Structures are given as structure tokens and as C-alpha cells.
Amino acid sequence: MRAMQIPSDHPLLLRIVDDLAERGWSQQNIFLPDALTRALAAECRQRAAEGELAPAAVGRGPFSEVREGIRGDRIQWIEPGQAQACDRYLGLMDSLREAINRGLFLGLEDFESHFALYPPGAFYLKHVDRFRDDDRRIVSAVLYLNDAWLPAHGGQLRMYLDDGVEHDVVPTGGCLVVFLSGDIPHEVLPAARDRLSLTGWFRRRGTELF
């Protein structure tokens, strides 16, 4: 299966890098072709129908636990070679990783990502994406897979920015949001219908000694 890559100096990728440098986040309302967005959504729904998505936990390692009062999504991590649509997406994310490294010198080494399905009424309370005991996650990336989504459906990503500013992102299919993992608190608001996304993190080498 052939990955989908574009040059790391593509204008769309450079726009994301510039946004990260200037304000710490970027929102691109049209990032993926419709056909790839639909294919990824179908892959997510198929995995859900086959029972492959599991309740997401909070915390890390032995301290992780499922707490639906904090987050209510169901997830499954993606790996290369599982599905052509996923491989194409991972190829694009690798191009973005190269662009960020070239522009911001963050030393990003890899990208991890999972499907996330929020059933109606599910949410994720305000949090940041970097663990207190693990500094590898540097840049978060969320791609939405929802067809014909309207603001009335809810499910917005609410980012808490500087000076008390709140910015809501409607999870419309093909939209990509990228932000600095440790700097921007955010939450997922409840939705009236299933809410699909691919959520991932660009990571650098950890500083643990062992």
C-alpha cells in the first residue's frame, strides 16, 4: 500500500508551521481530499461495528483507568499496513513532521494516532495532552471525519487560548487542528450524533534515563 506524501515545503504545510510559530495552533478547514476523509470514516465505523474500539482511559501505564466522567470516547490505535486509507494519512503526517522539524527545529521523531468515536452525549473534560511524567508529546493533531456536520450537532473542540480567549472548532470532515501539546488546554463538548476523528501526537525522544 502506497503512502500519500507531499513535499515538506508544500504551502499548506508551511502555513501550519507558521501558525505554530506565531500562536501555537493552526486550524485548516480543508486538509484532506473528500474521498480520503470518507475512506477513513468508513474504516473507523467498520472497526467500531466489529467491536475493535475500546473505552479510552485517562492517565498512563499502570495508572491509567477508564473514567467516563472525564472522557467518553472509544478508540483504537492505527499502525502502518492495516488499511490503505490509514497509510495514506500516516504518509501525510510524516510530511508534516518533516515540515515542522525543518521550520521549528523540534526534533520530532515519530507520530502516533488513534481513531476516536464519541457516541452521542460523550465528552472529554478540559485537559492538556502532555503527561506530567512524560515529555515526548510535543505537537497534537486532530483530523475530523464527520460528514455534513452542523454547529447545532455540538461536539466542538474548545481550546483555551491566551488572555482568556476560547476558540471552538466545529468537527467538520477534512478539518485538521494542530497545536502544541503542553501549552493549550482544551476539551471536547458533547455531541448529538456520533463524532469521529483521528487524534495523534508528534513525539520527540524522551528525556528518561532508563
Side-chain angles (χ1 to χ4, degrees), residues 82-122:
Q82 291 178 334
Q84 185 176 16
C86 293
D87 284 352
R88 294 180 70 196
Y89 177 66
L90 291 173
L92 282 173
M93 289 297 98
D94 198 57
S95 297
L96 178 55
R97 180 187 63 83
E98 292 177 359
I100 295 173
N101 278 343
R102 179 175 296 178
L104 302 181
F105 307 102
L106 292 182
L108 305 177
E109 293 197 337
D110 60 23
F111 178 71
E112 59 178 5
S113 184
H114 62 63
F115 283 115
L117 189 156
Y118 287 80

Side-chain angles (χ1 to χ4, degrees), residues 5-181:
Q5 289 185 288
I6 59 178
S8 59
D9 60 354
H10 189 283
L12 176 58
L13 303 185
L14 296 181
R15 187 157 62 243
I16 294 173
V17 173
D18 288 344
D19 286 346
L20 287 174
E22 293 173 9
R23 60 187 185 182
W25 64 278
S26 180
Q27 177 180 340
Q28 303 301 321
N29 291 327
I30 303 175
F31 182 76
L32 283 193
D34 288 343
L36 181 53
T37 301
R38 290 194 299 269
L40 288 167
E43 180 70 21
C44 182
R45 291 191 181 280
Q46 179 179 341
R47 295 184 187 204
E50 295 174 353
E52 297 180 5
L53 274 62
V58 296
R60 191 172 77 95
F63 303 104
S64 65
E65 60 179 329
V66 174
R67 299 180 63 182
E68 292 187 358
I70 295 178
R71 67 181 295 186
D73 54 326
R74 304 179 67 85
I75 69 170
Q76 187 188 45
W77 295 91
I78 64 172
E79 300 291 344
Q82 291 178 334
Q84 185 176 16
C86 293
D87 284 352
R88 294 180 70 196
Y89 177 66
L90 291 173
L92 282 173
M93 289 297 98
D94 198 57
S95 297
L96 178 55
R97 180 187 63 83
E98 292 177 359
I100 295 173
N101 278 343
R102 179 175 296 178
L104 302 181
F105 307 102
L106 292 182
L108 305 177
E109 293 197 337
D110 60 23
F111 178 71
E112 59 178 5
S113 184
H114 62 63
F115 283 115
L117 189 156
Y118 287 80
F123 55 86
Y124 194 163
L125 296 182
K126 184 178 179 181
H127 64 285
V128 293
D129 281 352
R130 186 183 295 175
F131 297 113
R132 284 177 290 183
D133 61 345
D134 186 340
D135 65 354
R136 287 178 293 178
R137 289 181 176 177
I138 304 300
V139 177
S140 302
V142 185
L143 175 77
Y144 296 108
L145 307 174
N146 307 294
D147 182 53
W149 194 277
L150 300 175
H153 292 144
Q156 290 87 349
L157 173 73
R158 176 164 293 169
M159 297 192 295
Y160 295 88
L161 307 175
D162 293 337
D163 301 322
V165 174
E166 297 178 2
H167 176 72
D168 284 356
V169 180
V170 177
T172 305
C175 174
L176 178 75
V177 181
V178 181
F179 54 91
L180 298 178
S181 301

